[in-house]
Amino acid sequence: MQTLDYAIPGTRPTQPGWVTFVPPLAVLMLALLMHYCVPFLGAYAERIMTDMAIAMIAAMSLTIVNGFTGQFSIGHAAFMALGGYTAAWCSYYFCLRYWGQTAVVPGTLFGTHQLILLCCALIGGAVAAGAGWVVGLPSLRLRGDYLAIVTLGFGEILRVLFQQTNSQALSKPELANRPLFGSDPTNPGWVFPPGVGGSLGFTDIPKSTNLFLCYLLVGLTFLFAYRLKFSSLGRALLSIREDEIAAEAMGVNVTRLKVRAFMFAAFFAGIAGTLYAHQSGTTLRPIDSGFIRSFDIVIMVVLGGLGSISGALLAAVIITGVTAALLGLTDYGLLPYRMPVFALVLILMMIFRPKGLFGVHEIWDYLPQFGRKGAK
Amino acid sequence: MSFLLDVQRIGISFGGLKAVQDFTLQIAHGALHGLIGPNGAGKTTVFNLLTGVYLPQTGSIHLGGVSLMGRKPFQIAAAGLSRTFQNIRLFGELSVLDNVRIACHLRGRHSLTATVLRTSFYRRQEAAIEERAMTLLSIFDLGDLAHEQARNLSYGDQRRLEIVRALATVPKLILLDEPAAGMNPAEKIELAKSIEQIRKQFNLTVLLIEHDMSLVMDICERITVLDYGQIIAEGTPGEIQSNPKVIEAYLGEVVTES
C-alpha cells in the first residue's frame, strides 16, 4: 500500500505542545478539588456526586459506540456488571487472603486500597473489553435492531450466569477450606464458578471508591472520548455512523473499527462498574447486568444527544440528580414516578429537541464567544 | 502495452437476473474512459463490482497487475481505486472538511496511543491532513465552505465534494458515477475543466459514467456502451456515435416500412 508521509515536519502550524500535558494535569486538579471540597457538603452530597461520576463514565463510554459509531447497543450495563464483578472478585479475595477482612478507612485520598482498586479497575475494564470483543466480532455484522437485540440478550445471559455463581467465602478460614473449582453447594469453589454470591448478591466488597478516584477517572474518560472524537480515528468512527458503504469505499476498515469502538466502550463501562462495585452502600447483584440498568445509560446518551460527550455528561448529571431528588420525596410516595418522569422528559425532548440536548455537537459549540467555526 | 485496469469477463446475477455479463474492460494509464448505456443497463453495477460492494461471480479484475478479486472495499480503496456515488453518499452531518479528512485517513498511520496522548507525531500528521484536505477543496472552489455541514451544500457542490473526497484517498484510478447529474450547463463546463485538471495534476486515470452525451463525447477518449448487462460497443466517441447498435439501444429499433 502506498503511504503518504504525513509526519514530515514542515512550516505547517501544528497544535502547541501543551495540549498533550495540560489537560491531564487539569483532570488531576479537578479530582483533588472534588476530594477536598465535596465532603464539606455532607455525606449525602458525597454519595450523589459519586453516583454522578459513575453515571458520567458509563454514559461517555456508551457515547463512543452509540453516538460516534452509530451502533445501537442496549446492553451496556452488562459490561459494567462484568467489569464490576471481576474487579470486586479480585479485590475482595485479595483483601480476604492477605488481611482477613475488607474494611477500608474512609476519607483516604490514595491509600493501598485505592491502589488495589485502580489495578482491579484495569483488570475489570480489560475483561469487559474482552467480552466486548467476543460479543462484537460476530454481532457487529448485524445492523440496527438486530444488533440491539443481541446486546440486550447478552445482558440477560450475563444476568442469569451471575445468578448461577457460587456463594462467597465470608472469612479467611472459610476461604482456606474451599476448593478452587466446583459448584457443589455444600463445598463450593471460589475461583470457578466464581464465589460472587449468586442471586443473593456480592457483599462486603472493599469500599475503596472515593471522590478522588471517581473524578480522576471521569476526567480521563472524558479526555479519551474527546481526543478520540476529534482525531482521525474518531472521524473514521463518525463516518461509519453516517454512511457505512461510503466509509468503506473511502478506505475505512468498518468491521475492525466497529469492534474496536465496542471494546473501548466496554473497557470504560468496566471501569464504571468497578467504581460502582466498590462504592459504599452497594451490593453487587445480578440485576445490575439487566436491561433496566442498560436503559438508564441509553436514556442519558440519547438525552445528551447521540455523539455529544458533554451532552452525555450533562444528561448523566441531570438524570442522577432527578433520581436523587425523587428519592428525597420517598416519604410522599413519589419514588414510583421516577420512570414516568423520565418517559415524559424523553417524549418532550423528542418533540422539542429531537437530536438530544446538543445533537452531535458539544456544549461549547453553543457558546457564542467560544463557538467553533461553522457549528450550528 | 500494459493496462492500469484490466477487467476480464466479470459477471454477476441476482437470482435469475443477469445484471452484468462478460464485462471486459481495459484502461491504459492516464486514459479517460466513458461508460454509457440506457437506464438499468448495469453501469453502476459494474462500479459496484469493481469496488468490491458486490463480489463478481466470474472473471478477474487487476489494477496495476494486482488482483482485486475477493478483496473488501477498503482494501480496494487502499490499492488505489476510488469512486463517487450516483446517489450522493456524503457524511451529511459532518463538515465538508471532515468529509475530506476521513478519506485522508487511509494514507496515514493512526495508533490509539498516539491519538490519546496527542504525541508530536500525531499533531504533525493532523496538521498535514488538514492542509492537504484544504488544498484539495480549493481545487474545486470548496475552500470557503470547509466548515459547513456537508448536507447543507448545494447539489452541484455535493457532487464536487464527492470527487474531492475520492481524490483524498490518493487513487490511481477514479470512478465517477454521473458527476454532472443535476448540474447546469455552466457547471458542467467547469466540471469538465476540473476533471481535466485533476487528471494532469494527480496523474489520474478516470472511468466515467455519464448521461450527458455532449459531455461524454467531448471529454472521453474511449467509450464502452452497455445494454442489458452486456457490452454492445467499444471505441472512440466518433465510432460510438455512428454505431448502429448504440443508436438502436438508445432510440429503439429502426422500423422499416414495407
Side-chain angles (χ1 to χ4, degrees), chain A residues 1-21 141 223-224 226-228 230-236 238-255 257 260 264 355 360-361 373-376, chain B residues 53 72-75 77-85 88-94 98 101-112 115-119 121-129 131-132 147-149 151-152 162 165-166 168-170 172:
Chain A
M1 186 180 113
Q2 126 199 55
T3 49
L4 286 183
D5 199 352
Y6 279 123
I8 298 166
T11 52
R12 292 180 286 266
T14 53
Q15 281 176 300
W18 59 262
V19 298
T20 312
F21 305 105
R141 292 175 192 281
L223 265 188
F224 179 90
Y226 176 85
R227 288 180 168 182
L228 185 66
F230 296 101
S231 73
S232 282
L233 269 180
R235 283 191 294 268
L238 291 169
S239 76
I240 296 174
R241 182 191 69 189
E242 293 293 313
D243 191 322
E244 235 172 83
I245 291 176
E248 189 143 33
M250 293 306 126
V252 175
N253 188 343
V254 170
T255 312
L257 275 178
R260 280 179 119 190
F264 299 154
K355 288 189 168 174
V360 288
H361 300 297
K373 285 170 278 181
K376 302 255 161 31
Chain B
V53 178
K72 293 196 168 153
F74 72 90
Q75 293 167 321
L81 199 158
S82 192
R83 71 174 291 182
T84 66
F85 292 90
I88 299 171
R89 281 179 176 275
L90 290 170
F91 308 124
E93 291 274 315
L94 306 182
D98 280 350
R101 285 198 284 190
I102 285 163
C104 294
H105 177 88
L106 176 63
R107 304 294 175 196
R109 288 193 287 135
H110 310 276
S111 77
L112 181 66
T115 301
V116 173
L117 298 181
R118 298 232 156 147
T119 58
F121 170 84
Y122 166 87
R123 283 177 278 132
R124 282 202 303 272
Q125 177 168 274
E126 286 290 299
I129 286 176
E131 191 194 30
R132 208 170 85 80
H147 296 284
E148 280 295 324
Q149 263 190 352
R151 58 170 187 176
N152 293 341
E162 278 239 338
R165 192 179 63 172
T169 64
V170 198
K172 296 183 188 116

Side-chain angles (χ1 to χ4, degrees), chain A residues 209-356:
Chain A
T209 295
N210 62 16
L211 279 167
F212 171 69
L213 277 181
C214 278
Y215 281 90
L216 186 70
L217 290 169
V218 166
L220 293 180
T221 311
F222 177 79
L223 265 188
F224 179 90
Y226 176 85
R227 288 180 168 182
L228 185 66
K229 184 179 178 185
F230 296 101
S231 73
S232 282
L233 269 180
R235 283 191 294 268
L237 294 181
L238 291 169
S239 76
I240 296 174
R241 182 191 69 189
E242 293 293 313
D243 191 322
E244 235 172 83
I245 291 176
E248 189 143 33
M250 293 306 126
V252 175
N253 188 343
V254 170
T255 312
R256 197 177 83 178
L257 275 178
K258 275 194 205 169
V259 173
R260 280 179 119 190
F262 222 67
M263 287 174 69
F264 299 154
F267 177 80
F268 287 103
I271 286 182
T274 306
L275 292 174
Y276 173 73
H278 293 77
Q279 195 187 3
S280 67
T282 42
T283 302
L284 208 51
R285 292 178 203 280
I287 195 77
D288 288 331
S289 162
F291 84 103
I292 295 177
R293 291 272 176 182
S294 293
F295 264 87
D296 279 348
I297 313 172
V298 170
I299 289 171
M300 289 171 198
V301 171
V302 174
L303 181 67
L306 282 170
S308 171
I309 308 165
S310 47
L313 278 179
L314 191 61
V317 170
I318 291 173
I319 290 199
T320 319
V322 169
T323 310
L326 290 177
L327 212 57
L329 298 174
T330 315
D331 297 343
Y332 307 101
L334 285 175
L335 185 62
Y337 295 106
R338 186 177 83 109
M339 286 329 242
V341 166
F342 285 165
L344 197 66
V345 167
L346 281 181
I347 291 169
L348 287 176
M349 202 192 61
M350 271 182 257
I351 296 170
F352 295 108
R353 286 197 79 87
K355 288 189 168 174

Side-chain angles (χ1 to χ4, degrees), chain B residues 7-14 17-24 45-46 49 54-61 69 229:
Chain B
V7 181
Q8 291 294 335
R9 300 174 68 84
I10 56 168
I12 188 171
S13 45
F14 302 111
L17 176 75
K18 287 170 179 159
V20 172
Q21 253 189 310
D22 288 339
F23 182 86
T24 298
T45 307
V46 167
L49 286 169
Y54 300 145
L55 205 61
Q57 288 157 346
T58 56
S60 69
I61 305 169
M69 280 294 279

Side-chain angles (χ1 to χ4, degrees), chain B residues 5-245:
Chain B
L5 181 73
D6 187 357
V7 181
Q8 291 294 335
R9 300 174 68 84
I10 56 168
I12 188 171
S13 45
F14 302 111
L17 176 75
K18 287 170 179 159
V20 172
Q21 253 189 310
D22 288 339
F23 182 86
T24 298
L25 177 69
Q26 289 173 318
I27 304 180
H29 282 278
L32 204 168
H33 199 105
L35 181 61
I36 62 170
N39 286 326
K43 305 180 294 293
T44 299
T45 307
V46 167
F47 272 23
N48 284 337
L49 286 169
L50 293 179
T51 51
V53 178
Y54 300 145
L55 205 61
Q57 288 157 346
T58 56
S60 69
I61 305 169
H62 288 87
L63 181 75
V66 182
S67 173
L68 298 185
M69 280 294 279
R71 296 238 214 152
K72 293 196 168 153
F74 72 90
Q75 293 167 321
I76 290 174
L81 199 158
S82 192
R83 71 174 291 182
T84 66
F85 292 90
Q86 180 187 4
N87 48 338
I88 299 171
R89 281 179 176 275
L90 290 170
F91 308 124
E93 291 274 315
L94 306 182
S95 73
V96 169
L97 178 63
D98 280 350
N99 269 273
V100 184
R101 285 198 284 190
I102 285 163
C104 294
H105 177 88
L106 176 63
R107 304 294 175 196
R109 288 193 287 135
H110 310 276
S111 77
L112 181 66
T113 341
T115 301
V116 173
L117 298 181
R118 298 232 156 147
T119 58
S120 66
F121 170 84
Y122 166 87
R123 283 177 278 132
R124 282 202 303 272
Q125 177 168 274
E126 286 290 299
I129 286 176
E130 182 168 347
E131 191 194 30
R132 208 170 85 80
M134 290 306 290
T135 313
L136 288 173
L137 281 172
S138 63
I139 296 176
F140 282 82
D141 292 326
L142 291 168
D144 297 336
L145 299 170
H147 296 284
E148 280 295 324
Q149 263 190 352
R151 58 170 187 176
N152 293 341
L153 295 191
S154 71
Y155 198 68
D157 282 343
Q158 291 196 0
R159 291 232 169 263
R160 278 191 283 273
L161 178 56
E162 278 239 338
I163 299 176
V164 176
R165 192 179 63 172
L167 276 179
T169 64
V170 198
K172 296 183 188 116
L173 173 70
I174 186 168
L175 311 182
L176 304 177
D177 200 342
E178 298 199 23
M183 288 187 180
N184 63 36
E187 283 180 317
K188 281 178 186 171
I189 294 168
E190 271 307 304
L191 179 78
K193 275 186 200 156
S194 308
I195 292 175
E196 223 20 73
Q197 189 198 340
I198 56 171
R199 256 180 84 193
K200 290 209 179 71
Q201 194 174 340
F202 299 102
N203 194 19
L204 268 184
T205 309
V206 181
L207 176 60
L208 176 91
I209 294 180
E210 188 48 66
H211 275 300
D212 186 320
M213 284 306 144
S214 59
L215 183 74
V216 173
M217 296 300 165
D218 209 27
I219 64 174
C220 292
E221 288 148 3
R222 287 191 78 79
I223 294 172
T224 299
V225 189
L226 210 58
D227 194 22
Y228 292 112
Q230 280 177 315
I231 294 175
I232 57 170
E234 212 251 48
T236 61
E239 289 165 7
I240 295 298
Q241 273 170 317
S242 55
N243 188 314
K245 277 177 136 179

Side-chain angles (χ1 to χ4, degrees), chain A:
Chain A
M1 186 180 113
Q2 126 199 55
T3 49
L4 286 183
D5 199 352
Y6 279 123
I8 298 166
T11 52
R12 292 180 286 266
T14 53
Q15 281 176 300
W18 59 262
V19 298
T20 312
F21 305 105
V22 171
L25 283 177
V27 166
L28 191 67
M29 297 307 287
L30 168 83
L32 287 171
L33 193 74
M34 291 306 242
H35 186 79
Y36 287 112
C37 295
V38 175
F40 290 112
L41 300 174
Y44 185 65
E46 213 173 318
R47 169 68 202 245
I48 301 295
M49 297 293 274
T50 312
D51 283 345
M52 281 179 180
I54 293 165
M56 283 194 261
I57 298 176
M60 280 191 287
S61 66
L62 189 62
T63 297
I64 295 174
V65 62
N66 281 23
F68 299 175
T69 323
Q71 307 300 307
F72 214 77
S73 159
I74 51 175
H76 210 53
F79 296 112
M80 261 184 89
L82 185 62
Y85 265 107
T86 308
W89 181 86
C90 292
S91 64
Y92 178 79
Y93 284 109
F94 182 86
C95 293
L96 206 61
R97 224 180 148 78
Y98 290 96
W99 298 311
Q101 48 131 342
T102 59
V104 175
V105 186
T108 322
L109 177 68
F110 197 84
T112 323
H113 275 289
Q114 277 71 36
L115 186 65
I116 294 172
L117 177 67
L118 213 50
C119 296
C120 290
L122 287 178
I123 297 170
V127 168
W133 183 72
V134 170
V135 179
L137 208 53
S139 57
L140 285 173
R141 292 175 192 281
L142 306 174
R143 283 179 199 172
D145 307 347
Y146 300 99
L147 178 70
I149 295 294
V150 169
T151 53
L152 185 71
F154 172 69
E156 293 302 307
I157 290 169
L158 220 55
R159 183 175 63 82
V160 174
L161 284 180
F162 286 137
Q163 283 174 353
Q164 305 304 316
T165 50
N166 286 337
S167 61
Q168 65 186 109
L170 290 169
S171 64
K172 197 173 180 180
E174 193 195 337
L175 181 62
N177 289 330
R178 278 199 175 194
L180 293 180
F181 304 100
S183 55
D184 177 9
T186 55
N187 192 20
W190 63 277
V191 173
F192 193 85
V196 291
S199 53
L200 291 175
F202 196 5
T203 56
D204 291 330
I205 302 162
K207 307 299 178 203
S208 40
T209 295
N210 62 16
L211 279 167
F212 171 69
L213 277 181
C214 278
Y215 281 90
L216 186 70
L217 290 169
V218 166
L220 293 180
T221 311
F222 177 79
L223 265 188
F224 179 90
Y226 176 85
R227 288 180 168 182
L228 185 66
K229 184 179 178 185
F230 296 101
S231 73
S232 282
L233 269 180
R235 283 191 294 268
L237 294 181
L238 291 169
S239 76
I240 296 174
R241 182 191 69 189
E242 293 293 313
D243 191 322
E244 235 172 83
I245 291 176
E248 189 143 33
M250 293 306 126
V252 175
N253 188 343
V254 170
T255 312
R256 197 177 83 178
L257 275 178
K258 275 194 205 169
V259 173
R260 280 179 119 190
F262 222 67
M263 287 174 69
F264 299 154
F267 177 80
F268 287 103
I271 286 182
T274 306
L275 292 174
Y276 173 73
H278 293 77
Q279 195 187 3
S280 67
T282 42
T283 302
L284 208 51
R285 292 178 203 280
I287 195 77
D288 288 331
S289 162
F291 84 103
I292 295 177
R293 291 272 176 182
S294 293
F295 264 87
D296 279 348
I297 313 172
V298 170
I299 289 171
M300 289 171 198
V301 171
V302 174
L303 181 67
L306 282 170
S308 171
I309 308 165
S310 47
L313 278 179
L314 191 61
V317 170
I318 291 173
I319 290 199
T320 319
V322 169
T323 310
L326 290 177
L327 212 57
L329 298 174
T330 315
D331 297 343
Y332 307 101
L334 285 175
L335 185 62
Y337 295 106
R338 186 177 83 109
M339 286 329 242
V341 166
F342 285 165
L344 197 66
V345 167
L346 281 181
I347 291 169
L348 287 176
M349 202 192 61
M350 271 182 257
I351 296 170
F352 295 108
R353 286 197 79 87
K355 288 189 168 174
L357 290 176
F358 304 130
V360 288
H361 300 297
E362 299 296 340
I363 191 166
W364 48 86
D365 293 331
Y366 293 85
L367 305 174
Q369 63 272 43
F370 301 112
R372 297 166 71 87
K373 285 170 278 181
K376 302 255 161 31

